Amino acid sequence: MNKLNTLMATLLLTTSLSHASTDVVQVGAGGWRTQPSAADQKVPEAPFRTPDMLQRAAPTNQWYSSVMFTRWSEVLHALPLTAKATQNGLEIGFPKKVITPTDRKDVEVTYPHTADITLRPLSFRPEAALLAGHGDWSVDISFPNQDQSLKTTVAHGSPFVFATLSHGDLGFDLAADLQAHIWSRDARVLIVKGVSKTYAAFAPTGGTWRQGALAWTLNLPTDKRYMSVAVMPNENDSTVQQFLASAYTHISNTKAEFRVDQDKNEVVTTFLVETHNKEGVRASTIVGLYPHHYFGNKDLPATAVGSLPSIRGELKFYAADKFTTKSVYQGFVPYWPGVKDTAKSRAIVSNLSKESSRARRMMLEIGQGPYWQGKGLQRISHLMTVADVQGETATRDKLLALIKKRAEEWLSGQSARTYFHYSPTLGTVASYPEEYDAVKDMNDHHFHYGYWIRAAADIGMRDPEWIKAEKWGGMIDLLVADIATAQRGRKDFPYLRNFDPYEGHSWASGTGMSPDGNNQESSSEAINAWVGLMLWGSLQGRQDLVDLGTYLYATEIQSINHYWFDIHGLTLPPEYKNVEVSMLFGGKLAHNTWWIDEPRQIHGINLLPLTASSTYLAASPVFTHKNMAALEQEIDIYQGRGKRAKPDDIWQDLFAKYVALVDPKKGLARWNEWGSIELGDTRTHAQHWLFFLNEVGTPDLSMTANTKFYASFKAATGQRTYMVYNPTKLPLDVRFSDGYILKALPVSLTVSP
């Protein structure tokens, strides 16, 4: 039994044995509360699940999660299709792009759902729509009424929707702008046409299509109550024939299986579609690959079936039950070494002295809940790291004691105000006081807990005893399990709560109750969480967690570069006026934030927190400079609307550090030592960052190494700096891809001479 299984078995046992006299379950030196305080919000229920699904932890924070929280779902943006569960049955749409101008003088791009086709059972009226099952990127929705039901399956990338009826026939309702006719080459196939869209619906052998006044009816044989409908790239007979060959291969499950190839330093992900053949000769299903799947991919099938536009760019279709992607893992180290220049070191230490004296207040400056506390813990842990590498050991120890004490206050479970609570209602850890609807709507768990996990890893690098399970590590393991349980079908926590294996990135909303679908704003905070997993796993001797974090880190970076930054020019529509997306939805692209439309914060939300693991942001210097040029233009527009940022130079440290990743001198020139500081960072850490990059140059992301925690920098002179963090107790000979070998000392950061 692995460590996670042991932890969760203990969790469930202690939940059942908790005495009425106490509501705290001890986990090592800490504990979690079995009930929230009387004034605190409880986690929502997710009642719209079949009995089998009610026995599992609820898959919140997914693209289909709204099915569980409301009788009739919100819009599900499956791509290329949209779907919506209604009292009549399942609506299916192929959305078209809509451009909406904004007060910011830019536009938002939406792909709103409209019901082109509704699959409607004729022998009964559904009582609700229930989550009946799901794969890694597919979902089963049941429409029951006592012993009768309609079951439908929708999947990311699939042009098909599959349906099975228990009784009766199926109504096939069409939007007013669509026309249908039976295909001349096979009476089982109904062709549905509209402006710029073509569907085909496939009846079973023996089924018949009948046209009524307002809708078509599919009469089904008693032994073949199934059908499928697909959106197609065109209405050519050859295309219809290709889709007909796959129409009876119904999707039963989907899995994304990954492995980390350490020798090649890449993450290999195999996407598997499990199917059930309903009739005829079994054929492969048809999968639609997103840009991050097919860009630079040499392992795809030889021939595509066609393509369709989508909010993620062009989807390319292949007849295949599996495909593989490979992503290079570009390493990082948890912190950078001290600055060598004497004068610059003195300047860093001067700021360190001032900020360390105010560290207690700096740890919680705005919010009082787990997001701002976690952010504050990481803020001070990074200040501690600078003290460490600059040789200020007394300051390091003072800051270490401070963050341990604050974390312990929360992790102990002894406070009725600041605490963690495990709820079996959904299978989740809730944290209080609530911030950003993290309890009510299950939002942002990976953002919040990512900060805690990363700060705990920073502590553990300096105090291994503190992170032991019998001390405080057990409570951190609980937060890890909430966002990164890697076993499917568990009762205590869902599989990878926030992560969408097919889209390749995380979702932030827990319930997904928006017609625009689920969303994620701060992609960089998601990266921070996966970095925390890797470091925590390495310190705990959990290679499974290190590999899982590697998969999430490398995969999410690929999606960020395509869908937030579009550095390859494949995804943003030509009408979109901004250079990057700050808020990515299932069906919307927006350049805004949840709290303000001020340009600095719009651009900065997908950069913070800038840490030594943020080197992926140096992937495209051209994009970085374009991004900053766009920021200046947007500031002018913002001020032209009579608005001002408060303060005027808000987050100037973020942009100085960001630019320094691709041009250290230009980044340092942007920096105002006495200007504003983003409240997840410190003046000392920003200054150390800028001075360090001006000494060693920019990250060389073309370099790989046969270990997890490595980095390489190249100065303008051509001088290279290599570094490796070795969390093990044995020295390692690390080979970089250019042949350089660095002997990495145990439990430390080793830097080349």
Side-chain angles (χ1 to χ4, degrees), residues 566-603:
D566 192 23
I567 67 173
H568 305 296
L570 292 176
T571 66
L572 292 183
E575 301 91 343
Y576 190 74
K577 295 184 178 182
N578 302 106
V579 302
E580 46 88 50
V581 173
S582 60
M583 302 172 74
L584 184 125
F585 292 75
K588 182 169 77 171
L589 309 176
H591 191 67
N592 205 345
T593 75
W594 284 111
W595 71 95
I596 195 171
D597 67 351
E598 190 277 313
R600 293 169 182 83
Q601 292 164 85
I602 291 173
H603 282 259

Side-chain angles (χ1 to χ4, degrees), residues 22-24 31-41 368-370 408-421 430-434 439:
T22 179
D23 70 344
V24 177
W32 50 269
R33 300 181 73 91
T34 61
Q35 298 294 330
S37 297
D40 285 337
Q41 176 84 39
Q368 300 295 312
E408 290 166 10
E409 291 170 359
W410 280 70
L411 297 171
S412 70
Q414 297 306 308
S415 169
R417 182 172 177 273
T418 55
Y419 62 95
F420 295 95
H421 155 59
S431 44
Y432 301 89
E434 183 180 15
V439 178

